[in-house]
Amino acid sequence: MQPLVQRLGYVALDVADIDAAIDDAQAVMGLSLVARDKSHALLTANTRHAELVFHQASESALRTIGLEALDGAQVDEVTRRARAAGVEIVSETPSLPVIARAVTLRFREGHQIEVHTPMRRDQPMRYPGPGIHPRYIDHVNLAARVPAGAAEEMMQVLGLKLSERTAGWEISWMRAGDGRHHTLAFVKSEAPGLHHYSWEFADFADFKRLGDVLDALDRRLVWGPGRHGAGDNLFAYYVDAAGFLVECTAEMEVIDDPAFEARIVDPGENLSNYKVVNRWGQLPSTAWMEHFNPCAAVREPV
Ligand SMILES: [Fe+2]
């Protein structure tokens, strides 16, 4: 059975200061602002209508993860599986008018996911302005109290495939239909939420430019650049104006073997096994390891 979602569609975040969040996303990542009003903003890095959504709120929190299904039949099957598994169905109305079909689910620890048919591609591929201009939004690493249960529930309902995990499920990485090593990952935490989300860069020169842009703004990278062992992807991380940990990535492993057996890896005490964590040797900062944003309490789609 193929996964019922193809790739990450969007990330929707609550932010305490929407003007500052928009300014940051444009100045550093170089996103294109598609639409905004007092309480919402839609941003993208390519032709898709929205890849990052901000909501004005009292505190920064993860609101919704959008996962793109190929068609309405996949949305129907996800809905059927969610009902069978007892997962809460928040809405069957698409969150945005540029989405034809969708179902929004709230999983057991509080992570809200909208499985949706592809968003309309009505934006220009290239646009002017500062910042890096990434290729697309790529993956999310979620935090969960019981990461094994949270991951297994999402694999059951969304058809995600396990690519890699630690022996005790402290970290697990799951792939969608596009075969990329992970579209969703889980890490063990004291509360459910978000560890980081990521943008795909075009090449390594973009990582240099990111460091220089942050330096010019008197800010700095939280970790990297380096290359993760799990996923084989290049990485660098910074914290945005709203307090979210943002990964910039490139060259992630693609798994196209239908008989692929998930790897079980040992990240070492405090992520000290550099062959899994960062093959170039530099281990994560305390700020990176301790980073956390909670799930928002709202039960409504974007
Ligand atoms: Fe990541």
Side-chain angles (χ1 to χ4, degrees), residues 239-302:
V239 174
D240 73 6
F244 292 97
L245 184 60
V246 183
E247 180 183 8
C248 304
T249 187
E251 300 186 4
M252 187 182 283
E253 175 186 11
V254 173
I255 297 170
D256 53 11
D257 175 2
F260 181 83
E261 288 274 339
R263 301 183 191 109
I264 298 178
V265 291
D266 176 7
E269 192 169 350
N270 292 324
L271 301 178
S272 57
N273 182 356
Y274 66 90
K275 285 293 187 188
V276 172
V277 176
N278 178 7
R279 300 186 71 88
W280 294 355
Q282 179 202 24
L283 296 176
S285 62
T286 305
W288 186 91
M289 285 199 279
E290 294 180 351
H291 192 90
F292 174 77
N293 293 102
C295 288
V298 291
R299 271 184 164 71
E300 61 185 60
V302 169

Side-chain angles (χ1 to χ4, degrees), residues 85-88 105-113 143-157 186 192 295 299:
V87 171
E88 180 185 345
L105 308 174
R106 194 173 185 91
F107 286 83
R108 68 173 71 164
E109 290 211 18
H111 301 101
Q112 186 162 280
I113 289 190
R145 278 189 292 255
V146 185
E152 283 171 350
E153 186 182 40
M154 288 200 188
M155 287 192 280
Q156 181 185 351
V157 173
F186 271 106
C295 288
R299 271 184 164 71

Side-chain angles (χ1 to χ4, degrees), residues 139 141 182 196 198 228 233 237 247:
H139 70 266
N141 277 46
H182 54 281
H196 66 262
S198 82
H228 287 309
N233 51 310
Y237 294 83
E247 180 183 8

Side-chain angles (χ1 to χ4, degrees), residues 28-217:
V28 179
M29 202 46 58
L31 302 182
S32 170
L33 182 62
V34 176
R36 70 166 297 178
D37 57 27
K38 263 194 176 137
S39 55
H40 306 86
L42 305 180
L43 299 107
T44 192
N46 51 55
T47 57
R48 296 155 86 209
H49 191 78
E51 294 193 300
L52 183 63
V53 181
F54 290 139
H55 290 258
Q56 177 65 52
S58 58
E59 64 164 358
S60 293
L62 170 62
R63 193 177 180 102
T64 311
I65 302 293
L67 292 174
E68 196 174 278
L70 291 176
D71 53 36
Q74 290 192 325
V75 176
D76 290 344
E77 177 60 13
V78 167
T79 308
R80 189 193 68 74
R81 289 194 193 188
R83 287 208 172 91
V87 171
E88 180 185 345
I89 295 174
V90 175
S91 175
E92 293 187 67
T93 302
S95 60
L96 293 167
V98 289
I99 295 171
R101 293 280 312 283
V103 61
T104 300
L105 308 174
R106 194 173 185 91
F107 286 83
R108 68 173 71 164
E109 290 211 18
H111 301 101
Q112 186 162 280
I113 289 190
E114 180 181 37
V115 174
H116 59 87
T117 51
M119 209 177 276
R120 203 180 298 154
R121 288 181 171 272
D122 58 3
Q123 299 301 304
M125 187 63 202
R126 278 165 284 279
Y127 48 91
I132 311 300
H133 294 222
R135 296 176 67 205
Y136 47 78
I137 201 157
D138 186 64
H139 70 266
V140 291
N141 277 46
L142 300 173
R145 278 189 292 255
V146 185
E152 283 171 350
E153 186 182 40
M154 288 200 188
M155 287 192 280
Q156 181 185 351
V157 173
L158 307 173
L160 297 171
K161 304 288 185 193
L162 185 66
S163 297
E164 194 154 340
R165 67 173 174 87
T166 61
W169 288 83
E170 296 86 355
I171 317 175
S172 59
W173 295 267
M174 293 167 287
R175 67 188 182 279
D178 65 4
R180 293 168 70 79
H181 177 275
H182 54 281
T183 288
L184 276 189
F186 271 106
V187 61
K188 185 168 174 55
S189 174
E190 290 175 10
L194 175 69
H195 184 260
H196 66 262
Y197 73 96
S198 82
W199 294 99
E200 170 83 3
F201 275 5
D203 65 42
F204 198 61
D206 284 349
F207 289 80
K208 173 175 137 180
R209 174 101 179 106
L210 174 67
D212 286 340
V213 167
L214 290 170
D215 173 42
L217 296 167

